[in-house]
Amino acid sequence: MSDKILDTASLADVQSSSDDRNVRIDKVGVKNIDFPILVQDRDKESQNTVAQVSMFVDLPHHFKGTHMSRFMEILNEHNGMIGVDNISTILDRMIERLDAQTAFLNLSFPYFVHKDAPVTGSSGTMAYQCSFEVSKGAVDDFSISLRIPVTTLCPCSKEISVKGAHNQRGEVTIKVRFNERIWIEELIEIAEDSASCSLFPVLKREDEKYVTEKAFDNPRFVEDLVREVALRLRKDSRIDSFRVEVENFESIHAHNAYAMIEEDKSST
């Protein structure tokens, strides 16, 4: 093995070399990095979780490539922890280090909420899949997306059946842009309050009786559920735009039912 010290200055910087194809790249970077993050929590002030992080910048047409290692260096400059408070700093650093006009940062992570059963109070923890999509520079944007599992009971099945009605688990996906802080818990409550019934991590028999009867008393098509959520988001002045999707994983059909509403309140 050679004991000579490698002279890195003599190594070619291929990424910074010129490219004559005259095609800019909108996003280039690294995806799906597992990394610890700190998320603000309405009840406990904050909680630790692990996110899949993706980092991108735009690339001018005259550069052959970007320096992928710099993304990891920037991420690890933050002492193994990133959160809402330092996202802007990370984006600024990406623009500076990678000579970019716009930086993009996506975080996808499980968010945990303590939840008690409705009758017995049996406690447990629910996980909700959440993501932040942030950009800064030529394009400034910050959106929160959240997937909330719920129970839905079919109004048609209830109306035409002598005995019972079919129900199933559904999923409400909410994506919002906002002008003032909105808690993740608030979005969860909006979806769950609009459904036939919410889900719980622990149910005793008394609780199971309660949720079964509550769902029966609150039948919802996907159309009903998506409209109820949209109405609540429309009334919230903190929300500038939203997209709501509802998907029912049907229990008696070989297909799923789906509905979506998207609205930009700033344009109305």
Side-chain angles (χ1 to χ4, degrees):
M1 178 179 288
S2 173
D3 58 358
K4 292 183 178 180
I5 298 175
L6 182 64
D7 180 9
T8 57
S10 66
L11 297 177
D13 185 358
V14 178
Q15 288 92 334
S16 295
S17 62
S18 62
D19 193 287
D20 60 6
R21 284 168 286 190
N22 197 33
V23 179
R24 71 180 301 275
I25 297 176
D26 295 317
K27 288 183 179 180
V28 59
V30 293
K31 291 186 69 174
N32 298 337
I33 310 157
D34 291 328
F35 203 81
I37 66 170
L38 186 69
V39 185
Q40 292 174 317
D41 182 315
R42 184 177 65 179
D43 298 326
K44 297 184 296 182
E45 295 188 358
S46 64
Q47 63 174 260
N48 297 312
T49 185
V50 176
Q52 279 203 329
V53 181
S54 296
M55 307 169 72
F56 313 106
V57 293
D58 64 314
L59 185 69
H61 68 86
H62 52 274
F63 285 138
K64 186 173 185 62
T66 195
H67 294 81
M68 298 293 182
S69 62
R70 293 182 186 176
F71 291 103
M72 301 304 300
E73 290 172 349
I74 293 166
L75 196 59
N76 284 286
E77 286 172 359
H78 294 273
N79 300 317
M81 188 65 68
I82 60 177
V84 172
D85 291 339
N86 63 4
I87 282 179
S88 182
T89 302
I90 294 172
L91 292 168
D92 285 337
R93 190 80 171 123
M94 290 165 63
I95 291 171
E96 175 192 352
R97 289 287 311 278
L98 292 151
D99 194 22
Q101 289 189 322
T102 306
F104 305 87
L105 182 64
N106 297 344
L107 310 173
S108 179
F109 55 91
Y111 184 82
F112 298 96
V113 175
H114 178 85
K115 199 171 183 182
D116 295 334
V119 178
T120 65
S122 300
S123 62
T125 301
M126 287 281 294
Y128 300 88
Q129 194 61 34
C130 186
S131 64
F132 295 160
E133 296 180 32
V134 193
S135 65
K136 189 174 184 180
V139 178
D140 293 330
D141 191 29
F142 195 133
S143 66
I144 295 176
S145 297
L146 192 64
R147 297 207 309 265
I148 307 106
V150 296
T151 293
T152 58
L153 184 133
C154 177
C156 181
S157 176
K158 178 181 177 180
E159 183 67 25
I160 65 177
S161 301
V162 176
K163 298 179 180 179
H166 84 82
N167 58 23
Q168 56 273 316
R169 186 177 299 180
E171 186 173 78
V172 181
T173 302
I174 299 176
K175 181 176 183 178
V176 297
R177 292 178 175 85
F178 48 92
N179 55 64
E180 188 180 330
R181 174 180 290 179
I182 184 165
W183 293 103
I184 292 173
E185 289 88 344
E186 292 180 89
L187 298 176
I188 293 171
E189 289 163 1
I190 286 171
E192 292 182 339
D193 291 345
S194 301
S196 297
C197 191
S198 60
L199 301 187
F200 296 89
V202 181
L203 290 175
K204 300 293 189 180
R205 281 176 296 176
E206 302 94 322
D207 304 307
E208 191 166 340
K209 178 178 184 296
Y210 173 89
V211 299
T212 301
E213 293 175 347
K214 182 177 180 181
F216 191 81
D217 291 337
N218 294 279
R220 294 283 190 270
F221 290 128
V222 288
E223 298 94 332
D224 297 314
L225 181 47
V226 77
R227 284 172 171 146
E228 289 295 324
V229 175
L231 284 172
R232 286 167 168 80
L233 297 175
R234 183 183 291 173
K235 292 175 182 177
D236 195 323
S237 60
R238 296 171 298 173
I239 295 173
D240 293 326
S241 67
F242 63 82
R243 177 187 175 101
V244 184
E245 298 175 88
V246 176
E247 184 172 2
N248 277 349
F249 308 109
E250 294 287 315
S251 59
I252 66 170
H253 301 291
H255 58 262
N256 292 349
Y258 173 84
M260 185 273 283
I261 294 175
E262 191 167 22
E263 188 172 306
D264 184 352
K265 292 157 65 175
S266 63
S267 63
T268 58

